[in-house]
Amino acid sequence: MTGGAVLVTRPPGGCRWDAVALGEVMLRLDPGEGRIRTARQLRVWEGGGEYNVARGLRKCFGLRTAVVTALADNEVGRLVEDLICTGGVDTALLRWVPYDGLGRSVRNGLNFTERGFGVRGAVGVSDRGHTAASRMRPEDVDWDHLFGVDGVRWLHTGGIFAALGEHTADVAEAAMSAAHRHGTVVSFDLNYRPSLWRDFGGPARAREVNRRLVQHVDVLIGNEEDFTAALGFEVPGVDENLTDLDVDAFATMIDAVVADLPHLSVVATTLREVRSATRNDWGAVAWAGGRLHRATPRPDLEILDRVGGGDSFASGLVYGLLSGLDVAQAVEYGAAHGALAMTTPGDTSMATLAEVRRLVEGGGARVAR
């Protein structure tokens, strides 16, 4: 493997936020152990592929974070805001859009999510058309002020936001370009969702958009489906059921990625083999400077709620890199945080830094008193 540049972040002094996420924040409605189709009660959480990373960095790792997004100004939007505030993520960059009373022109996204159990897989039903975030345009935010004056150290965004609306890929590109002008590191989670691209050009359009955006990325994150569907890189020997995920096959794929995209500093991917909804083999690898680092594998990991596990991996990895850890340590923090996040309900992590460190250091599940 040949390598990307050494990753350097600006120091924390003088920065308003350590990390900012650009993406949609939705209201998750959760039937608990039951099914959406038979639910009589739904618990609410906030969540979103990019936002979840900012929340994990704040609540688990203690960094100062904010989210750049838009919400329709109604009671649902204010509920989402309240949940974001509870998560400790700064709402100073939240853009409020007037609500028309019907949701015809702008609304807030909803995400109904079943956790799954055993042979019944997790199910997500998103209701996100015409959301305020999907209507964002590049000029909605003063990017040079955000990165040049507020001095953000890290920007995280991804393929979900890029696919939301007609102009959201342009918003992401404007943000990432400005970030680089001011020395801010950019991470991007490919997060390919077929439902988002189905009526928006399909896989071909997804590859076109994502290949344009990754030109502005320092740290690229994804899983086996993401790299294949969103960028066109195949993982040798992986079948359509995503079984028998061989690390050597991922090493071969990452070789191809960095040969084609030599500006990348870090390429990281999660490794998940689904044995059942509640038992997964879980791990991760990260490439940097010509070397591949593998996190401690966790075969037959017990899962309560898998949604957000990849986002929690990303936040642990970003924390490690922002904290000056080497990539081998950072990928361990990412994998451990992702594993812990999947032991609790909701999209977002309830883990503590002490718990992550304990798992990284080989600690088990004995009672802590």
Side-chain angles (χ1 to χ4, degrees), residues 13 78 84 93 101 132 187 190 205 210 224 304 355 358 366:
R78 294 295 172 177
I84 295 172
L93 303 174
S187 60
L190 291 164
R205 175 64 174 162
N210 282 288
E224 63 287 332
L304 178 65
E355 290 171 334
R358 182 176 177 221
R366 291 181 62 86

Side-chain angles (χ1 to χ4, degrees), residues 30 37 104 128 136 160 186 198 205 229 251 262 274 311 339-340:
D30 186 345
R37 64 177 64 189
R104 182 183 290 118
R128 69 199 323 165
M136 290 180 68
I160 291 177
V186 175
R198 187 173 297 127
R205 175 64 174 162
V274 178
D311 302 329
L340 286 167

Side-chain angles (χ1 to χ4, degrees), residues 90-104:
D90 199 331
T91 59
L93 303 174
L94 197 160
R95 180 171 177 265
W96 291 101
V97 180
Y99 182 61
D100 64 6
L102 292 174
R104 182 183 290 118

Side-chain angles (χ1 to χ4, degrees), residues 49-62:
E50 297 85 10
Y51 163 81
N52 293 342
V53 177
R55 191 186 188 281
L57 286 169
R58 174 65 187 92
K59 289 296 281 187
C60 179
F61 298 106

Side-chain angles (χ1 to χ4, degrees), residues 26-267:
M26 304 174 72
L27 186 70
R28 171 173 168 175
L29 296 106
D30 186 345
E33 293 76 25
R35 305 296 306 272
I36 296 167
R37 64 177 64 189
T38 56
R40 296 298 180 268
Q41 291 183 328
L42 295 162
R43 189 173 185 181
V44 297
W45 316 86
E46 87 282 22
E50 297 85 10
Y51 163 81
N52 293 342
V53 177
R55 191 186 188 281
L57 286 169
R58 174 65 187 92
K59 289 296 281 187
C60 179
F61 298 106
L63 300 184
R64 301 160 300 165
T65 65
V67 60
V68 180
T69 193
L71 292 172
D73 194 357
N74 60 19
E75 295 304 298
V76 176
R78 294 295 172 177
L79 172 57
V80 173
E81 179 196 31
D82 191 62
L83 291 164
I84 295 172
C85 290
T86 300
V89 177
D90 199 331
T91 59
L93 303 174
L94 197 160
R95 180 171 177 265
W96 291 101
V97 180
Y99 182 61
D100 64 6
L102 292 174
R104 182 183 290 118
S105 61
V106 68
R107 54 192 294 271
N108 296 302
L110 306 177
N111 185 20
F112 296 81
T113 305
E114 293 180 12
R115 301 175 200 167
F117 187 86
V119 296
R120 177 173 59 85
V123 176
V125 181
S126 297
D127 179 17
R128 69 199 323 165
H130 312 294
T131 61
S134 74
R135 301 298 180 89
M136 290 180 68
R137 292 174 174 268
E139 61 270 20
D140 288 341
V141 178
D142 185 342
W143 302 110
D144 285 310
H145 187 279
L146 177 61
F147 298 111
V149 178
D150 291 331
V152 178
R153 301 175 65 202
W154 195 289
L155 170 68
H156 179 77
T157 189
I160 291 177
F161 180 72
L164 279 183
E166 183 180 357
H167 301 288
T168 50
D170 298 328
V171 176
E173 187 169 30
M176 292 189 288
S177 296
H180 277 165
R181 284 198 297 273
H182 296 285
T184 300
V185 178
V186 175
S187 60
F188 189 90
D189 193 330
L190 291 164
N191 258 337
Y192 179 75
R193 298 289 185 270
S195 59
L196 285 174
W197 293 100
R198 187 173 297 127
D199 295 325
F200 193 39
R205 175 64 174 162
R207 291 179 184 181
E208 176 190 340
V209 169
N210 282 288
R211 279 194 164 268
R212 169 164 61 95
L213 294 180
V214 296
Q215 302 302 320
H216 305 279
V217 172
D218 301 299
V219 178
L220 184 62
I221 302 167
N223 61 25
E224 63 287 332
E225 182 184 16
D226 296 332
F227 280 94
T228 299
L231 291 179
F233 294 101
E234 299 293 335
V235 184
V238 174
D239 63 23
E240 63 181 6
N241 296 314
L242 305 178
T243 57
D244 298 323
L245 302 183
D246 180 17
V247 173
D248 290 338
F250 279 87
T252 300
M253 180 204 71
I254 292 173
D255 270 335
V257 172
V258 297
D260 194 39
L261 302 167
H263 65 283
L264 294 171
S265 295
V266 178
V267 180

